[in-house]
Amino acid sequence: MQSLSFANYLEDSTYAFLALNALLGVYFVIVVWRRTSQLRFRSDESEEKFITEFNSLVSAHDYESAMKLCDYDFRALPRLCMIILGNRDSSYRQIRQVAADSMQRHIVADLEHRLSWIATVIKSGPLLGLFGTVLGMMAAFARIGTGEKVQPSQIAEEISIALICTAMGLATAIPLGYILSNLTIRVRRLQESLGAGLARVLEPFREVES
C-alpha cells in the first residue's frame, strides 16, 4: 500500500511538472519573440533611412553626431554601429572582425541560447508525460496486486487518468515545435539582415582606409 500511495503521489506531482514545463516554454517563446522585435527595424524603409544617415555622418567624419544617432537605440544594428565607432581608429579588417564577433556573441548567441531552452521544453514534455503515465500504470497494477476485489471500471479509470499525462506532454510539445520553427526563421532573418546592414555601414571605413 505504501508503494501504491507513493506512485500516486509521484503521478500527481508529474502534473505540476508538466504545467511548469509548459509555462517555461511559453515564457521563452514570449522572450524570443519580443527580443527579435526589439532588435530589428520595423520596416526596410526605416533601416534604409538609418543606414543612409549613419553613412553620411561617418563619411563627413562627424562621429559625434553618428554616436548621437545610435545612442539610446537598442536595436541590433545601431548597437553594432556604436561598437564600430568605438573602434574607428583600428584597421578596417579589425573593425569588421570586432563587429562580426559582437553580433555573434551578444545578439545571435543570446537568441540561440533562448531557442535551445524551447527545444529542451519540447523534448521534456513527452518524457514527463510518459513518466507520469508509467507511474499511473504502476499504481493501477499495484492495486490489482493487493488481492482486494477491484472493479474493472475502476482500473480503467485510473489507466485513462494516467494517459492524460502523455496527452499533456504531447499537447505541450506539438504546438511549441511549430512555434520554434517560426522563431528560428525569425532569428535567421534577423541575422541575415544584420549581416547585410553591417556590410553597408562598414563601407565608409573601407573607403577611409583605402
Side-chain angles (χ1 to χ4, degrees), residues 26-50:
V26 172
Y27 168 76
F28 279 107
V29 165
I30 294 172
V31 168
V32 174
W33 188 277
R34 289 188 60 187
R35 190 68 177 147
T36 52
S37 298
Q38 291 169 352
L39 289 174
R40 66 179 187 175
F41 287 89
R42 291 189 176 182
S43 64
D44 294 337
E45 291 76 13
S46 59
E47 182 178 8
E48 179 66 28
K49 180 181 178 182
F50 171 82

Side-chain angles (χ1 to χ4, degrees), residues 32 104-105 107-119 180 184 187-188 191:
V32 174
Q104 185 62 38
R105 285 202 315 269
I107 298 172
V108 177
D110 176 65
L111 291 171
E112 289 178 346
H113 172 71
R114 298 174 194 274
L115 287 175
S116 68
W117 272 103
I118 300 175
L180 177 61
T184 302
V187 172
R188 193 172 300 156
Q191 187 175 2

Side-chain angles (χ1 to χ4, degrees), residues 115 118 122 174-188:
L115 287 175
I118 300 175
I122 292 172
I174 293 172
L176 282 179
Y178 288 107
I179 294 172
L180 177 61
S181 297
N182 181 271
L183 291 176
T184 302
I185 293 172
R186 283 174 65 90
V187 172
R188 193 172 300 156

Side-chain angles (χ1 to χ4, degrees), residues 84-132:
I84 291 171
L85 290 171
N87 292 271
R88 63 181 180 272
D89 294 330
S90 303
S91 66
Y92 170 76
R93 180 172 295 182
Q94 289 175 328
I95 295 173
R96 184 181 63 182
Q97 187 63 45
V98 169
D101 289 345
S102 297
M103 181 182 76
Q104 185 62 38
R105 285 202 315 269
H106 302 302
I107 298 172
V108 177
D110 176 65
L111 291 171
E112 289 178 346
H113 172 71
R114 298 174 194 274
L115 287 175
S116 68
W117 272 103
I118 300 175
T120 301
V121 169
I122 292 172
K123 294 175 183 176
S124 301
L127 293 177
L128 284 171
L130 180 61
F131 180 65

